[in-house]
Amino acid sequence: MSGLTVAHRAALAALIGQAPDDMLAKLSSVAAALPGERALELRAMLAEETRERARRGFVFAPLLPMFRPRADGVEAVAFPAAVLPRLWQAAAAREPALLPKLDQDSPVAVAVADRICLAAAAAVRDRPALIWPPELAPDGRERGLTDLAAALDLAHLARRGLPSLDVWLKRPDGDQIAELRLLLKDCADVHLDGAQRVLEMLFRHLDDAVLILRILTQSSCSSEQETFLSASELSGFVERLIAGVDLRVARIAGFRPGSDLAAVETVIDDLTWCANVLGELDVTLTLNPLSLWGKSVRDARVSLSAQLSTFLRAADRAVDKALPLESIQISGRMTRKAPQLTAPVQGETVQAARNLLKLVGAVRGPASTFGAESDRKRLVESLTVRLSDYAEQALLLINDGEATDPVNALRLVELSARCLDLIDARPVARTVRRRAAVAGAAKSSGASLSSRAA
C-alpha cells in the first residue's frame, strides 16, 4: 500500500498543527490502532508534533500564559495565540542542533531553553513580519512586539523565579523576600522597566489576580503604603484590580432576578471575586480613605452592600410568590392561611425564587465582607421556619384528604425541601422529605386498598 502523498502530508500537517493539545492526544490514541503504511506515517507526524509542543512548552514556559486571555478578564499583557507557533519555528530554526537537549531532564535543558528564548527575542526584532504578520491583530502590534521581545529577554529570570512563586504568596522568610528583591534587581539590570515586566509575567501565572498584591508588598519595604505604590510603575496592578471590581459592580447592579440560572451564577462569582479583591486590598495595602483608590474601594463596598440587601429582599418576596398561601374557612367567618396546593411547581416565578435562594445560600463570604451577613442570616432563619411550616401544613392537608390534587401537593412539598437545600438548611430538608415519603406511601397504599375493595 502506498504511503501518504505530498498533498496529504501538507493537509495533515496543517490540521495537526491547529489541533488543541487534548485533541492531539486523542488523535494519537486513535492512530495507534490503525493499520497500514499511511497510519504509520500519520503516527510519526503526530509523535513529531507532540515532541515539538513539549519542547516549545518547556522553552516558553515563563511566557505561555501570555498567549491566552485571563479567565477573570482582568487586563494583562497578552499576545495572539497564532504568534506562538511562528515564534517557536523561528527560534528553533536558529538553534536546531540544541533541540534534542531539551528532551533531557537536566540543567543543560534549562540552559538551552534560556538560549533559545534569547534567539527568539532576536527573531522578533529581526523579522517581526514573520513572527507577527501586520494583518494579525494590528491594533497594538508595535507595542506587542516590543513587549514580546522584552519578555523573551527576561524569560531566564522569570524561569528562575517561578519555582518560588508559591512561597512568595504565603509567608516568606527574610531570605525568600531577599531572593525576590534580588530577582527584580537583576531584571532591572536587563531592562529599565524589567522589574515591572517580570512581575507581569508572574501575574499571568496566577489564576487569582488579586494574589499579585502579596508579591508587590514583598518587593519593597515601602510597597505596603499607598503613597509609594500609587506613584510607582507598579500602580497599574492595583488600578487593574479596582477596574475589575468596578466592572463587576456595574454588572451586578444590572442584574434582574429571573429564570436564567447562568445569570445568577455569574452574579455569585462576581460577588465572590469582589469580596476576595477588596478583602486582600484591606490586608495588604494601607489605603487613604480620601485618595482615588480609597474612594473607589469605599464606593464599591457601599454599592455591593446595597445590592446584596436588595437581593435578600427580593428572595423573601420570591418565596411568597412561588409557594403562595390562600385563605381557607375554619368555622363560620373564621379563616386561616394555608398552602395553595394547586399552585404550579414550574415556571418563571418558581425558577426565579430558586435562583435567588441559591444566591442567598452561596454568598455567605461576600455578605460578611460587605456587612450584610447578619441580614442574610436572619433571612435564612426566617425562611427555614416558613418553608418547614409550609411543608408541614401541606402534608397535614394531604394526610387529611383535603388536597384536590395530592400529586401536585407533594411536588410543592418537594419544592419547599429544595428551597431549604438552597439556603443550606439540609437537615430540615431531609426531615421534610422523610415526612413526604411517608405521606406519599400512605396515599399509594390507600389508593391500592380502595381499588381492591371496588
Side-chain angles (χ1 to χ4, degrees), residues 137-207:
D139 295 339
R141 176 176 176 271
E142 294 302 321
R143 174 63 184 272
L145 286 167
T146 301
D147 290 341
L148 179 56
L152 289 164
D153 289 337
L154 295 163
H156 64 290
L157 294 171
R159 195 189 310 276
R160 189 180 88 192
L162 283 176
S164 300
L165 189 57
D166 287 342
V167 174
W168 296 332
L169 294 176
K170 295 174 183 176
R171 295 182 178 274
D173 58 27
D175 291 341
Q176 291 161 341
I177 293 174
E179 178 189 4
L180 170 62
R181 294 176 182 174
L182 179 60
L183 174 68
L184 297 179
K185 180 180 180 298
D186 290 343
C187 292
D189 291 338
V190 176
H191 279 284
L192 186 61
D193 57 353
Q196 180 184 356
R197 289 186 180 279
V198 84
L199 286 171
E200 288 281 1
M201 297 168 73
L202 297 178
F203 177 57
R204 294 309 307 271
H205 285 266
L206 300 175
D207 292 332

Side-chain angles (χ1 to χ4, degrees), residues 336-354:
R336 67 179 178 86
K337 293 290 185 179
Q340 183 183 332
L341 300 183
T342 57
V345 294
Q346 294 180 343
E348 186 171 349
T349 299
V350 172
Q351 192 59 47
R354 292 179 62 178

Side-chain angles (χ1 to χ4, degrees), residues 249-250 252-253 298-308:
V249 168
I252 292 168
R298 185 182 66 247
D299 291 345
R301 285 182 178 278
V302 171
S303 178
L304 291 170
S305 178
Q307 286 297 326
L308 267 175

Side-chain angles (χ1 to χ4, degrees), residues 355-384:
N355 289 346
L356 281 167
L357 290 179
K358 178 180 177 67
L359 189 150
V360 170
V363 297
R364 177 182 297 177
S368 298
T369 300
F370 303 128
E373 175 57 15
S374 60
D375 292 339
R376 193 199 72 88
K377 188 174 180 181
R378 280 197 296 270
L379 175 62
V380 168
E381 292 172 351
S382 171
L383 288 175
T384 301

Side-chain angles (χ1 to χ4, degrees), residues 388-400:
S388 60
D389 285 349
Y390 178 95
E392 182 178 358
Q393 291 184 51
L395 289 169
L396 286 174
L397 292 172
I398 293 170
N399 292 331
D400 292 343

